[in-house]
Amino acid sequence: MTHAITILTENFADWETALINSTARLYYGFYTQFATPGGLPVTSSGGMLVTPQLVLEDISLDDLDLLMVCGGSHWQSGKAPDLGRLLRAARDKGVVLAGICDGTRVLAQAGVLDTVRHTSNCAANLSDTGYAGAALYQDVPWAVADQRIITAPGTAPVTFTQEVLRALGIDDENLAAYLAMHGAEHGKAAAAQAAR
């Protein structure tokens, strides 16, 4: 069974990892868990209260396939935990790493974006992280995957889901249909706007 952990903090952006966790658990049988600093309950930016199964500081990488960092305002608050050692160890062990929105800042701060193509909400979002990967930044509105590391702006949960699952070897017709259904709104909205 594929094991995935999502790291959440206070005011996490609830929409950003909801699709990947739901798809992975419901359709592909993943074992999904959530971790927070101190294992304390956290409230999302939308007001959803989550009681995690794991204490962030106690995460074990044994038998872990996927480690995701959900975005949210806490990552720029000055009170965010330092995940550098955990993320570098996970990368070195071959765990798929994924960050969306300000979760990409956490990956940058850990140094795991220094040698891979990546994206974020914008290039400036990563400029004060001290990372050395600015030359590899991709200015695109969708997820970017490189060497089992996936990054995405907060507005791209559909392609984030797609690239995370592809990194884990899942890319079937059912996934294509499911993601097309979720992404259809954007294409139709763009066409309607252009027709106005």
Side-chain angles (χ1 to χ4, degrees), residues 7-88:
I7 297 171
L8 304 176
T9 56
E10 191 64 25
N11 291 318
F12 71 93
D14 34 26
W15 69 92
E16 292 177 349
T17 57
L19 185 61
I20 177 59
N21 277 301
S22 177
T23 303
R25 183 175 174 274
L26 186 62
Y27 296 108
Y28 293 100
F30 283 30
Y31 177 47
T32 57
Q33 292 184 297
F34 298 88
T36 64
L40 298 172
V42 292
T43 303
S44 75
S45 59
M48 179 174 59
L49 179 65
V50 173
T51 302
Q53 300 99 328
L54 298 172
V55 176
L56 171 61
E57 296 79 5
D58 295 340
I59 287 178
S60 170
L61 299 177
D62 295 338
D63 302 317
L64 184 63
D65 301 290
L66 169 62
L67 183 60
M68 294 184 286
V69 183
C70 186
S73 60
H74 192 74
W75 295 117
Q76 294 195 50
S77 71
K79 300 176 185 176
D82 181 358
L83 302 184
R85 208 161 93 182
L86 173 66
L87 295 176
R88 289 188 297 274

Side-chain angles (χ1 to χ4, degrees), residues 89-157:
R91 176 201 57 200
D92 295 346
K93 197 171 170 86
V95 173
V96 171
L97 290 178
I100 185 167
C101 190
D102 277 351
T104 61
R105 289 178 54 84
V106 181
L107 298 180
Q109 289 165 339
V112 299
L113 301 185
D114 288 353
T115 60
V116 297
R117 290 177 301 107
H118 59 277
T119 193
S120 184
N121 293 338
C122 61
N125 194 42
L126 303 180
S127 64
D128 65 345
T129 63
Y131 90 125
L136 295 169
Y137 182 81
Q138 311 289 296
D139 189 19
V140 294
W142 52 77
V144 172
D146 191 9
Q147 300 176 47
R148 296 175 62 83
I149 297 175
I150 297 89
T151 53
T155 54

